[in-house]
Amino acid sequence: DIQHIKYMFAGCNKLTSIDLSGFSFVNILDISAIFSDCFDLETLILPQNEMASNIKDFSNMFHGCLKLKEIDLSNIDFAEAKKLQYMFYECKSLTSINFYTSMKATKIESIYYMFSFCEKLTSIDLSDFSFVKTKRLIAMFFYCSNLETVILPKDEISTIVEDISYIFAICFKLKTIDLSGISFINI
């Protein structure tokens, strides 16, 4: 069984469409940078016939997908996810992300720069995620200049967070934010 597909399409900067509907992500553990620097990617179809729930590393998955407007991750469960840093970094055209998680994603360790430079993203719901094992939320939403709504986890208090530098810097349209799920004790 294939377990690692990291960098599979990385750097395919002229690729405009990818259809992975017949591919299985069920046993995949590492999907990091799979579409990184696919600058012209506009259409992406991921497997929809089965739930992928073992993936631990999502880092840089869509890093630099400048033309991708929407991402449907509804058949990927983030319950085992540990690394999400730079996942959507510089997805400048991204307007919607469809997440799914069957239970709270409590294993996340790194999430810094996750949505940085997602300039067209207007809302994001991370209520099913958890920051209880996350130390750095650095620049998580940096330069999300059209972001209006962010729903952060708040069912449990994250006490190990040490650095939230630039987390909402250059978020011009953000009006309110609830940080009650983050303890400032170690910052």
Side-chain angles (χ1 to χ4, degrees), residues 21-85:
S21 57
F23 194 83
S24 175
F25 283 8
V26 170
N27 295 313
I28 304 296
L29 302 175
D30 187 345
I31 200 164
S32 60
I34 185 174
F35 307 110
S36 182
D37 296 328
C38 289
F39 304 132
D40 287 343
L41 185 62
E42 293 179 26
T43 307
L44 174 63
I45 302 169
L46 293 174
Q48 296 295 311
N49 55 342
E50 52 194 3
M51 183 61 66
S53 60
N54 296 313
I55 304 170
K56 293 172 180 25
D57 193 345
F58 292 88
S59 57
N60 297 291
M61 186 175 180
F62 299 101
H63 185 161
C65 290
L66 304 176
K67 294 185 179 179
L68 200 56
K69 292 180 182 172
E70 55 187 42
I71 298 171
D72 183 3
L73 299 174
S74 60
N75 273 44
I76 297 178
D77 192 334
F78 285 80
E80 295 296 318
K82 289 185 177 186
K83 296 179 180 181
L84 301 171
Q85 72 269 15

Side-chain angles (χ1 to χ4, degrees), residues 113-182:
Y113 291 95
M114 185 174 178
F115 302 99
S116 290
F117 297 99
C118 289
E119 298 170 10
K120 294 196 176 173
L121 199 60
T122 58
S123 66
I124 192 74
D125 183 352
L126 297 175
S127 57
D128 286 330
F129 288 73
S130 170
F131 300 154
V132 293
K133 292 186 177 181
T134 309
K135 290 186 177 184
R136 292 179 301 282
L137 302 174
I138 302 165
M140 194 169 162
F141 303 98
F142 180 77
Y143 219 103
C144 289
S145 53
N146 283 300
L147 192 62
E148 297 173 11
T149 308
V150 177
I151 301 171
L152 294 174
K154 58 184 169 189
D155 292 342
E156 50 200 0
I157 305 296
S158 302
T159 58
I160 69 166
V161 175
E162 295 175 353
D163 194 344
I164 58 171
S165 303
Y166 303 98
I167 188 171
F168 300 108
I170 323 294
C171 290
F172 298 125
K173 295 190 177 183
L174 194 60
K175 295 179 183 173
T176 61
I177 191 72
D178 183 355
L179 295 174
S180 62
I182 299 172

